[in-house]
């Protein structure tokens, strides 16, 4: 029987992952935790603990109290916010992961760690970016993701901790907002298109990056932890993607539903430089071969679903 702890359950991934894990493994078997109280849906429909994961003893207490055997560690500062406070990003992203891995080692837990396309850098091949390639990111976020991938490999090889993970692309959802990433425009654009018919984008029109709709990201996080460990050659940091597009292309797709939608551009040099240092499209064949990864949504089907769900959430009639 799985007993799961979600660290960062109130965040963009955590709020949907927690709900899905509870459906699959039973509400009582999925403990949500966050340093702030999340939505009622997360905090009041099942076990919830206020948890600051920079405090290793606190992580240990929760793991032991609920006899946790699997930890989804999602708490982290994203790329753009990390550039505003690099020291905090290092301390939170590395400190919390180290705490989770140490507690996992002592309490025999499996660990899911989300890496990112941010783990690549300006001299990584941009198209069909291989699973194993140059990783010299130039953001503090990317540096913590590469170090995190290596640390997870190390805890597996040295201590036998069952660490697994994927490199997520930009994630798009209508439930919780992302917290300060470079790919956030691809979420904001839907809100602004519906609310105001207009969006001012902080990236250039042709800036191409990998993206994924949240239901596919949730499926990936669950499937990799369910996969047969003997078949995993990489274990950590599998490239996964579902689509690759630029601001101009997502705007064109939105226009099919909202014909008067207008996109304008006001470039933020910091986020533009980060986006330019990331791949255009990564190669996810290792994930497909080793654990059967296959996304369901492309730009067209995601846009149809986003507009339907978001217009009902915002009570906007089209
Ligand atoms: N979505 C993240 C960011 O933009 C990348 O993993 O920071």
């Amino acid at each position: 029987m799985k007993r799961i702890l979600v660290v960062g359950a109130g965040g963009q991934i955590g709020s949907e992952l927690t709900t899905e894990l509870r459906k699959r493994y039973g509400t009582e078997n999925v403990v949500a935790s966050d340093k702030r109280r999340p939505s009622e849906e997360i905090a009041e429909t099942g076990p919830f603990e206020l948890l600051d994961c920079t405090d290793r003893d606190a992580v240990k207490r929760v793991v032991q109290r609920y006899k946790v055997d699997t930890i989804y560690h999602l708490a982290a500062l994203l790329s753009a916010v990390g550039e505003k406070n690099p020291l905090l990003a290092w301390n939170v992203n590395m400190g919390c992961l180290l705490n989770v891995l140490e507690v996992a080692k002592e309490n025999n837990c499996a660990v899911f760690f989300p890496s990112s396309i941010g783990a690549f850098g300006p001299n990584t091949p941009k198209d069909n970016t291989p699973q194993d390639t140059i990783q010299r990111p130039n953001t503090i976020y990317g540096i913590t993701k590469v170090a995190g991938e290596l640390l997870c490999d190390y805890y597996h090889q040295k201590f036998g901790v069952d660490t697994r993970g994927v490199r997520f692309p930009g994630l798009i959802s209508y439930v919780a907002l992302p917290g300060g990433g470079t790919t956030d425009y691809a979420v904001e654009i839907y809100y602004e298109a519906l609310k105001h018919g207009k969006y001012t984008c902080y990236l250039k029109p042709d800036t191409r990056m990998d993206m994924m709709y949240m239901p596919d990201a949730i499926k990936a996080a669950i499937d990799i932890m369910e996969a047969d460990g003997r078949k995993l050659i990489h274990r950590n940091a599998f490239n996964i993607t579902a689509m690759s597009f630029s601001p101009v292309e997502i705007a064109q797709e939105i226009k099919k539903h909202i014909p008067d939608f207008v996109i304008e551009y006001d470039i933020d040099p910091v986020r533009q430089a980060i986006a330019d240092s990331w791949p255009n499209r990564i190669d996810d064949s290792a994930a497909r071969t080793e654990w059967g990864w296959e996304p369901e949504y492309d730009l067209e089907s995601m846009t149809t679903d986003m507009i339907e769900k978001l217009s009902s959430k915002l009570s906007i009639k089209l």
Side-chain angles (χ1 to χ4, degrees):
M1 170 64 85
K2 270 204 198 301
R3 297 275 280 176
I4 298 171
L5 171 65
V6 181
V7 179
Q12 193 203 10
I13 303 174
S15 40
E16 287 182 65
L17 181 63
T18 304
T19 308
E20 187 56 35
L21 290 170
R22 283 179 172 165
K23 266 192 221 148
R24 194 173 294 218
Y25 301 108
T27 301
E28 289 312 308
N29 294 320
V30 180
V31 183
S33 74
D34 206 291
K35 73 178 189 344
R36 281 180 232 107
R37 212 173 166 74
S39 67
E40 253 172 51
E41 197 198 330
I42 301 293
E44 272 151 46
T45 59
F48 172 75
E49 292 282 334
L50 271 180
L51 176 65
D52 173 1
C53 55
T54 60
D55 177 352
R56 188 177 304 168
D57 286 337
V59 177
K60 183 170 147 190
R61 274 196 300 276
V62 174
V63 163
Q64 293 184 343
R65 176 165 167 217
Y66 290 93
K67 300 188 170 50
V68 166
D69 58 36
T70 303
I71 306 173
Y72 278 87
H73 175 54
L74 307 173
L77 266 68
L78 290 182
S79 58
V81 86
E83 290 311 294
K84 291 196 180 127
N85 197 341
L87 194 60
L88 182 69
W90 174 267
N91 286 341
V92 170
N93 293 11
M94 294 316 300
C96 291
L97 176 61
L98 193 63
N99 288 344
V100 163
L101 288 170
E102 271 298 300
V103 172
K105 180 184 86 180
E106 284 157 13
N107 295 275
N108 211 11
C109 302
V111 175
F112 174 84
F113 169 69
S115 186
S116 157
I117 50 169
F120 297 118
N123 59 357
T124 302
K126 288 224 173 302
D127 294 299
N128 275 323
T129 306
Q131 174 67 40
D132 301 306
T133 186
I134 301 164
Q135 290 183 267
R136 309 274 304 165
N138 56 6
T139 61
I140 193 69
Y141 174 74
I143 292 167
T144 65
K145 289 299 180 189
V146 176
E149 291 180 5
L150 294 172
L151 205 54
C152 286
D153 279 343
Y154 182 77
Y155 269 72
H156 174 62
Q157 283 152 14
K158 179 103 178 163
F159 306 118
V161 179
D162 187 2
T163 55
R164 304 182 186 195
V166 295
R167 292 183 185 127
F168 279 130
L171 298 179
I172 293 143
S173 76
Y174 58 88
V175 176
L177 290 169
T182 302
T183 56
D184 294 14
Y185 89 86
V187 179
E188 290 165 7
I189 195 169
Y190 287 106
Y191 280 84
E192 295 304 307
L194 280 165
K195 289 202 276 195
H196 305 117
K198 185 179 145 190
Y199 177 61
T200 306
C201 185
Y202 55 80
L203 296 178
K204 292 183 193 158
D206 60 349
T207 311
R208 181 170 289 282
M209 286 184 285
D210 286 285
M211 300 280 177
M212 185 178 292
Y213 198 30
M214 192 59 86
D216 279 329
I218 301 302
K219 181 165 71 115
I222 294 176
D223 285 356
I224 179 104
M225 296 311 283
E226 289 279 352
D228 180 350
R230 291 165 304 183
K231 295 200 179 134
L232 300 182
I233 299 163
H234 288 89
R235 300 195 70 85
N236 278 295
F238 281 94
N239 282 3
I240 56 167
T241 186
M243 60 192 95
S244 159
F245 59 73
S246 61
V248 77
E249 287 166 354
I250 188 175
Q252 274 159 8
E253 201 56 47
I254 291 173
K255 261 169 136 359
K256 291 184 188 163
H257 302 261
I258 308 169
D260 294 336
F261 174 61
V262 178
I263 185 165
E264 288 175 353
Y265 298 90
D266 180 14
I267 310 309
D268 168 13
V270 174
R271 283 178 288 184
Q272 184 66 50
I274 298 174
D276 288 342
S277 77
W278 291 354
N280 295 333
R281 167 129 209 155
I282 60 175
D283 170 15
D284 61 4
S285 52
R288 289 174 187 264
T289 311
E290 290 177 42
W291 50 278
W293 159 246
E294 206 185 330
E296 195 185 322
Y297 288 90
D298 59 13
L299 178 57
E300 194 180 342
S301 50
M302 172 179 78
T303 300
T304 304
D305 201 61
M306 269 300 275
I307 290 187
E308 186 193 315
K309 300 282 174 34
L310 206 50
S311 53
S312 119
K313 178 178 166 179
L314 302 172
S315 308
I316 293 171
K317 269 215 163 83
L318 282 182

